[in-house]
Amino acid sequence: SCLVGSEMCIRDRQVLRAKELAEHYNTELTSLSSFLDAVVSHIPSCVLVQDAVSRTILLANRQAEATFGADRADIVGKTAQQCLPAAVCEFFDRLTNEALRSDGALREAEEELATARGTRTLRTKTLVFHSNDPRSRYVLLISDDVTDENAAHAQVRYMAHHDTLTGMPNRRLFREQLLKALNSRSADRTAAVLCLDLDNFKSVNDTLGHPYGDELLRLLAKRLPKSLREQDTLARLGGDEFAIVLPNIGQQEDVRRMAERLLETVRQPFEIDGHTVPISVSIGIALADTPDCSADHLLRYADMALYEAKRNGRNCLAFFKPEMETAALKRHEVEMDLRQAIMGQQLQLHYQPIMDVSHVRVVGREALMRWQHPVKGLIMPNDFIPIAEETGLIHELGAFTLHEACAEAMRWDDHETVAVNLSASQFTNSALVSLVESALSKSGLPAWRLELEITESVLLANSAANLNTLNQLKELGVKVALDDFGTGYSSLGYLRSFEFDKIKIDKSFTQDVESSKEALAIIRAINGIGRSLDIPTTAEGVETAAQLDRLTEEGCSHFQGYLLGRPVSHETPIEDAE
Ligand code: C2E
Ligand code: MG
Ligand code: MG
């Protein structure tokens, strides 16, 4: 019995042990299952699991409940059709089908859907998996709400492609559109680029202030597209520079018509805050008429054409021509050389005497710039001053001339004046007045001995601001002469708007004084005005004794010309060979 008894004991103990184990595993399983439940429900994405065959939803987490506005109890055990909005259901079905067809590969898609939180974009991943039983397959759907993320990306993309002031496309988007336009060319349709630049934007900023300038640009951004087609892209490349891509162009004449329409549109004055702001624009045009024409080339060509349009007097358009490229290269070469010249001291001043009515007494000298080029030899101002003006190098040249001329004049008789030419473009520099001041104080030259020669173009462009600068210069005590009078506009209004100290009659009249009645009449008129306004007049370019006598008779008070003395360098008094 003891044996039987001990066998019983062993079996009992085994049963007991098995029971204990089973209970242990059971509690472990339960806690594992609720642990997994907790994990799934805390996943911040919306999680659904469907049976691949019946399409019954087997699992839905907390995010799913919140997104679709339904309790888990209303979802689990149902198909999507039975419990989710039709659009969501359709989207999920499509993904599920694709996932099952592609045998489980991870898929991802985005769609804007109506959810319990409103219209949201759901980025959804799908994955097919098997459980222990290889016959059953499940589809796992994980959705994330990417609405805010997408909006932020879109905002960044927009900012990267648009100008903040006007909301217009910027250079980057312009380039993308241009590339598209070039790629979509065909045998009879091409693309064109227009470069636009406002003719007098700076004066709007200077006279009315920057807020007006900004508003003008915004108004332009609204007005210009009205003259364009839907497919065209108008972009702001910076400042008052705009560019347009015209895709799908038939012929040059079509582009010309569009450009003319743009000119006309801009010409209608803008009303800003009670001010009427008249403005005009210049347009350069390049057609992509060779197959290998790149975006960069086209933009550069249009820019060269714009340069031409500006030179032809603004408010007009110009088409690119190959000669323009040659000219631009030449300009670039001179610009580079000129930078060298400034640094390498290749620039010097020659001085030409100005006589009074005695014809022998020197009352002053005009400083005239010369460029001693190491290879090309002597270069005259008309061949490099315009390039210096375009490139902004005129400010360096101007500073050099003023300082040098004032210092040089200190070595002359102390009654002699020194005349320095100023370009209109030097007036765009707000430091012009202090530059003149510093040239005077550094050299010690009394202000009255410095005479600044300007042409009418100073009063023509941006007159209000320039007039203000001229008056400030006069307050320093320097003299201001009106150079080359009789050429250009020769408006008597200029003589009224500013008190000039001297009028210089252009040499073209001097040289025709004996042969042309018209020239003589103009000289008489200028001298008449000079007498009545008490402004002395200088006859420029006197080459013969006969001219000198005639001009003296006509009442000129001062004389300058080869007859009386050529421009000479102060170091080597060798006359200009011309
Ligand atoms: P401008 O101010 O009218 O200077 C007079 C020009 O006439 C000078 O030419 C001078 O050499 C020339 N000239 C003088 N007498 C006679 C003559 O009897 N017959 C003839 N045919 N010509 C005579 P240049 O030196 O070639 O200067 C040309 C222009 O370049 C100047 O015209 C002036 O507008 C500009 N310029 C010269 N130096 C400077 C400068 O330092 N700065 C600026 N901004 N412009 C300058
Ligand atoms: Mg002059
Ligand atoms: Mg002159």
Side-chain angles (χ1 to χ4, degrees):
S1 84
C2 185
L3 185 74
V4 173
S6 76
E7 273 177 4
M8 280 292 289
C9 267
I10 290 166
R11 206 174 303 135
D12 277 355
R13 251 183 272 136
Q14 282 174 336
V15 170
L16 206 67
R17 178 100 187 88
K19 210 175 132 204
E20 270 172 14
L21 266 175
E23 268 166 14
H24 175 76
Y25 286 135
N26 201 13
T27 44
E28 232 175 42
L29 256 175
T30 323
S31 76
L32 181 65
S33 152
S34 63
F35 173 69
L36 287 178
D37 263 357
V39 170
V40 173
S41 83
H42 279 93
I43 292 176
S45 310
C46 170
V47 178
L48 290 176
V49 177
Q50 280 181 305
D51 181 86
V53 179
S54 69
R55 301 286 171 97
T56 317
I57 296 172
L58 304 173
L59 181 147
N61 73 346
R62 224 192 277 171
Q63 273 298 325
E65 288 183 296
T67 306
F68 303 116
D71 272 354
R72 221 169 308 184
D74 297 328
I75 302 176
V76 173
K78 304 223 169 90
T79 62
Q81 270 86 356
Q82 292 169 320
C83 63
L84 297 180
V88 176
C89 184
E90 206 175 284
F91 176 52
F92 283 176
D93 267 355
R94 201 179 73 225
L95 288 176
T96 303
N97 291 339
E98 278 172 11
L100 288 169
R101 261 203 305 277
S102 64
D103 203 32
L106 184 67
R107 304 234 132 206
E108 186 179 301
E110 262 180 48
E111 189 137 316
E112 205 174 70
L113 297 164
T115 73
R117 293 196 204 94
T119 306
R120 312 296 292 177
T121 305
L122 295 186
R123 180 185 297 155
T124 302
K125 297 191 185 74
T126 8
L127 184 73
V128 179
F129 64 96
H130 295 274
S131 71
N132 290 344
D133 179 354
R135 280 166 308 179
S136 46
R137 287 204 295 166
Y138 304 95
V139 182
L140 170 65
L141 292 143
I142 300 175
S143 297
D144 289 301
D145 183 342
V146 292
T147 319
D148 298 340
E149 185 185 322
N150 284 358
H153 279 152
Q155 174 74 17
V156 169
R157 226 178 5 252
Y158 182 87
M159 280 167 23
H161 287 95
H162 291 82
D163 165 48
T164 32
L165 178 69
T166 59
M168 276 181 182
N170 63 9
R171 189 180 288 272
R172 195 158 151 192
L173 185 51
F174 174 82
R175 248 190 87 82
E176 287 174 15
Q177 296 299 104
L178 177 53
L179 288 173
K180 262 193 224 159
L182 287 174
N183 285 333
S184 64
R185 281 179 295 167
S186 64
D188 54 349
R189 311 297 288 177
T190 186
V193 165
L194 271 57
C195 278
L196 286 72
D197 191 285
L198 298 182
D199 294 329
N200 34 3
F201 184 62
K202 197 182 171 297
S203 79
V204 174
N205 270 336
D206 287 352
T207 52
L208 294 173
H210 285 269
Y212 281 84
D214 288 355
E215 184 56 21
L216 178 67
L217 293 175
R218 279 191 219 103
L219 291 175
L220 267 167
K222 281 201 206 118
R223 200 193 271 185
L224 286 174
K226 291 183 187 150
S227 312
L228 298 171
R229 304 164 302 170
E230 192 71 42
Q231 54 192 307
D232 304 331
T233 304
L234 166 70
R236 178 171 177 230
L237 302 189
D240 58 342
E241 264 177 81
F242 301 91
I244 303 173
V245 186
L246 302 178
N248 191 23
I249 286 298
Q251 48 188 330
Q252 176 161 336
E253 277 317 296
D254 300 342
V255 184
R256 183 188 295 280
R257 265 194 299 280
M258 287 177 88
E260 274 164 359
R261 217 163 43 227
L262 286 167
L263 289 177
E264 187 52 42
T265 306
V266 176
R267 252 200 309 266
Q268 312 300 317
F270 289 85
E271 290 292 331
I272 306 174
D273 231 11
H275 290 267
T276 305
V277 185
I279 195 122
S280 65
V281 71
S282 300
I283 305 181
I285 308 168
L287 261 78
D289 40 17
T290 56
D292 58 342
C293 187
S294 75
D296 290 332
H297 274 112
L298 205 54
L299 192 55
R300 219 157 50 80
Y301 291 163
D303 207 49
M304 288 176 197
L306 171 63
Y307 176 85
E308 192 64 25
K310 288 249 171 218
R311 255 205 341 197
N312 293 347
R314 290 140 195 265
N315 185 28
C316 62
L317 57 87
F319 279 89
F320 171 75
K321 291 195 194 73
E323 305 89 86
M324 293 177 188
E325 191 168 26
T326 331
L329 285 174
K330 174 111 201 324
R331 265 200 314 277
H332 181 71
E333 197 186 290
V334 176
E335 181 189 343
M336 290 299 139
D337 270 11
L338 202 48
R339 286 183 196 282
Q340 281 308 124
I342 293 168
M343 292 185 301
Q345 303 181 342
Q346 300 164 18
L347 298 174
Q348 37 175 268
L349 294 177
H350 283 193
Y351 299 91
Q352 184 178 32
I354 301 166
M355 311 295 191
D356 69 5
V357 77
S358 74
H359 301 169
V360 289
R361 198 175 106 96
V362 176
V363 293
R365 295 167 209 272
E366 178 174 5
L368 295 162
M369 189 172 280
R370 299 292 178 261
W371 177 3
Q372 194 60 53
H373 192 284
V375 180
K376 295 175 188 156
L378 186 72
I379 306 180
M380 299 303 277
N382 289 337
D383 295 325
F384 65 90
I385 296 279
I387 295 167
E389 289 170 348
E390 284 157 21
T391 53
L393 287 171
I394 191 68
H395 299 296
E396 278 77 24
L397 295 193
F400 163 80
T401 311
L402 274 165
H403 278 97
E404 179 79 14
C406 289
E408 172 65 19
M410 285 298 282
R411 309 207 259 153
W412 306 342
D413 264 8
D414 61 10
H415 72 270
E416 286 180 21
T417 57
V418 61
V420 171
N421 292 284
L422 292 184
S423 294
S425 48
Q426 283 178 267
F427 282 77
T428 59
N429 187 348
S430 53
L432 180 61
V433 178
S434 56
L435 172 67
V436 172
E437 240 179 328
S438 110
L440 289 172
S441 66
K442 278 238 175 70
S443 61
L445 188 76
W448 68 268
R449 290 185 61 196
L450 176 62
E451 199 166 273
L452 300 173
E453 295 193 0
I454 63 158
T455 57
E456 288 164 285
S457 54
V458 171
L459 295 171
L460 187 68
N462 186 19
S463 47
N466 287 0
L467 209 63
N468 182 31
T469 308
L470 278 175
N471 283 315
Q472 281 177 267
L473 288 170
K474 266 207 105 151
E475 270 164 37
L476 296 180
V478 302
K479 304 271 183 273
V480 181
L482 184 55
D483 204 355
D484 303 342
F485 196 68
T487 63
Y489 290 83
S490 306
S491 161
L492 298 182
Y494 294 134
L495 292 173
R496 211 178 57 173
S497 63
F498 183 74
E499 225 177 284
F500 285 99
D501 298 290
K502 192 182 249 177
I503 301 171
K504 298 188 79 173
I505 301 171
D506 192 68
K507 58 175 172 282
S508 57
F509 300 105
T510 302
Q511 274 149 22
D512 289 348
V513 66
E514 296 159 293
S515 58
S516 152
K517 266 194 279 186
E518 289 77 17
L520 184 62
I522 290 170
I523 291 169
R524 273 194 190 147
I526 297 175
N527 277 328
I529 296 165
R531 255 194 315 277
S532 53
L533 293 178
D534 203 17
I535 308 175
T537 53
T538 303
E540 292 190 294
V542 183
E543 291 183 357
T544 66
Q547 286 167 0
L548 183 62
D549 290 344
R550 197 67 223 262
L551 288 157
T552 311
E553 269 171 44
E554 288 302 327
C556 292
S557 56
H558 296 84
F559 307 88
Q560 185 181 354
Y562 294 165
L563 177 72
L564 305 162
R566 287 181 175 254
V568 289
S569 142
H570 70 92
E571 291 160 354
T572 46
I574 292 169
E575 297 196 338
D576 275 7
E578 259 174 282

